[in-house]
Amino acid sequence: MLYQYGNPANAEAHYLTTAPEILDDLPQVTHVVAGLGTTGTLMGVGRFFAERKPEVKIIAAEPRYGELVLWLTQSRGGLRSRALRRFLRHLAVFGRLPDAVRRVRELLEREGIFAGLSSGAIVHAALAQAAKAVAAGESADIVVIIADGGWKYLSTGAYSGDLDTSEEFLDTQVWA
């Protein structure tokens, strides 16, 4: 592994490739929603848009984990990054776990996308932003970055059973 959490090339790759591609494909972009993960995507894309189109809202979304997993994420540096906080000046979303599970199931059933739980939180956050824009009578062109595969979560119970049972099981596991 290339130590994604501390490797500056992680964010640089998204600054040089992901963000310009977004702007080329959707020049009217208003929001970019991505997961926290290693923070590389958010830092690279956030820096790019801060420099070139600062009105774009960069939104972090992550399912709310239990205390143990939250501590592990912080100790890796994902949530404590000063650079990340600079670029997340608009909004940081920590989604509810049931919402993430529901959305990841919808992605699979409706779109055939086998995504992970953080992707469910990302979709939920993006849909919340879209609803907020509609309620305000504003247009929004929202980019959603899904970079989390469902294969990593097969043993979590996220894809089977009822939502209550899945949520209860997930609350007792270290799965992030």
Side-chain angles (χ1 to χ4, degrees), residues 59-122:
I59 301 168
E62 196 75 14
R64 184 169 296 142
Y65 302 120
E67 291 302 314
L68 175 60
V69 177
L70 181 59
W71 176 84
L72 290 169
T73 304
Q74 288 175 337
S75 68
R76 293 187 310 216
L79 294 177
R80 292 186 182 190
S81 168
R82 285 186 192 182
L84 178 63
R85 278 181 269 174
R86 246 182 41 219
F87 300 125
L88 287 178
R89 61 195 179 283
H90 297 291
L91 177 65
V93 175
F94 288 85
R96 292 179 345 107
L97 188 55
D99 296 328
V101 173
R102 187 176 82 246
R103 296 299 184 192
V104 82
R105 287 182 180 193
E106 289 173 0
L107 278 173
L108 184 58
E109 292 167 9
R110 294 182 186 172
E111 307 297 333
I113 298 171
F114 187 41
L117 292 172
S118 61
S119 295
I122 292 163

Side-chain angles (χ1 to χ4, degrees), residues 53-66:
K53 196 171 178 182
E55 66 274 15
V56 173
K57 293 178 172 72
I58 307 300
I59 301 168
E62 196 75 14
R64 184 169 296 142
Y65 302 120

Side-chain angles (χ1 to χ4, degrees), residues 120-140:
I122 292 163
V123 169
H124 188 74
L127 289 170
Q129 286 302 299
K132 187 175 174 183
V134 167
E138 301 169 354
S139 67

Side-chain angles (χ1 to χ4, degrees), residues 19-39:
E21 184 177 334
I22 290 169
L23 193 56
D24 287 347
D25 290 347
L26 189 64
Q28 69 274 20
V29 61
T30 58
H31 302 75
V32 177
V33 186
L36 278 172
T38 64
T39 69

